[in-house]
Amino acid sequence: MKKVAVILAGCGVYDGAEINEVVLTLLHLSKAGAQYQAFAPDIEQLHVINHLTGEEVEQSRNVLQEAARIVRGDIKAVTELNPDEFDALIVPGGFGAAKNLSDFALKGVEAKVQTDVLAACQGFAKANKAAGYMCIAPAMVPLIYGPGVIATIGNDEGTAQAITQLGATHQTCTVDDIVVDETHKLVTTPAYMLAQDLAQAETGIAKLVKQVLNMAI
């Protein structure tokens, strides 16, 4: 049975992990007979957004505690993630990937990945283990894999240009498809960068999970 680590960025599309992307990922892993363990950085969120109004509110929330909401409390700090214990890694999107897992939302081409998250993700990269990143999370891959890594965030010109400047080779991709970098064993899909509904997001995520599991040795 293949074991997959899943790194989450909080809870909620605008300030954390995109909940639908996470649930669809875990659903397809489960249906494929794979084991998974969720992780998240034990840090404060960049900010908190009222998802009803879209406005920032004066609150402080912890990324790990918020992410625990999605996985019924079955989650560990990302510092506990040992790539040697897993066959593959998947990182769902949501703005939290660009606000909490990295600072891409703030700094663009000057972005850095959060220290503990970077160590975990690079562990999989250095071991040449399969990984999947979706939605805005692929903005981190050039900082993890280095120049020349192939990835997609869909077709948003500005974001594609930014991750190209960071060193990635961007490929335009439709919502229902994936981009595979065979050399790095990396799979990416646009998900809610393009999806207009749950069904559209599900198609690409299902393909990503299947491909990651196929590439996992």
Side-chain angles (χ1 to χ4, degrees):
M1 183 180 289
K2 292 176 180 177
K3 293 181 66 178
V4 181
V6 181
I7 297 180
L8 306 183
C11 179
V13 57
Y14 299 123
D15 58 13
E18 211 299 320
I19 298 170
N20 292 339
E21 291 179 3
V22 177
V23 174
L24 288 169
T25 296
L26 302 185
L27 173 65
H28 283 289
L29 285 171
S30 183
K31 289 177 75 171
Q35 285 186 335
Y36 60 80
Q37 175 63 53
F39 296 89
D42 188 4
I43 58 174
E44 292 303 301
Q45 289 183 190
L46 171 67
H47 57 204
V48 178
I49 300 294
N50 179 333
H51 280 60
L52 191 61
T53 64
E55 295 175 357
E56 186 175 347
V57 294
E58 289 297 321
Q59 291 183 19
S60 176
R61 296 188 186 183
N62 178 278
V63 175
L64 179 60
Q65 290 176 13
E66 289 299 294
R69 293 174 179 272
I70 310 177
V71 290
R72 303 169 66 89
D74 185 12
I75 193 167
K76 299 178 181 181
V78 75
T79 49
E80 296 183 51
L81 174 47
N82 180 357
D84 293 340
E85 298 175 355
F86 294 89
D87 301 298
L89 168 70
I90 295 181
V91 185
F95 280 102
K99 293 178 177 179
N100 304 325
L101 302 187
S102 73
D103 56 9
F104 181 78
L106 296 178
K107 298 188 177 178
V109 296
E110 301 295 324
K112 292 183 179 178
V113 179
Q114 195 272 341
T115 306
D116 299 328
V117 174
L118 180 63
C121 294
Q122 283 187 334
F124 284 88
K126 289 173 182 175
N128 199 29
K129 291 189 173 184
Y133 291 71
M134 61 189 70
C135 192
I136 193 62
M140 299 190 293
V141 301
L143 301 171
I144 294 164
Y145 290 87
V149 64
I150 301 168
T152 189
I153 47 80
N155 60 16
D156 183 79
E157 212 169 289
T159 309
Q161 198 170 47
I163 72 168
T164 297
Q165 285 182 261
L166 283 168
T169 298
H170 183 266
Q171 288 187 5
T172 299
C173 182
T174 55
V175 66
D176 59 349
D177 210 352
I178 57 176
V179 166
V180 180
D181 182 333
E182 297 281 356
T183 302
H184 296 95
K185 290 189 178 179
L186 176 69
V187 188
T188 51
T189 191
Y192 274 99
M193 286 292 287
L194 293 177
Q196 298 298 309
D197 56 41
L198 197 61
Q200 285 189 356
E202 188 270 344
T203 305
I205 291 171
K207 288 182 179 179
L208 179 143
V209 170
K210 182 178 180 179
Q211 183 65 29
V212 167
L213 291 176
N214 284 344
M215 297 173 89
I217 298 173

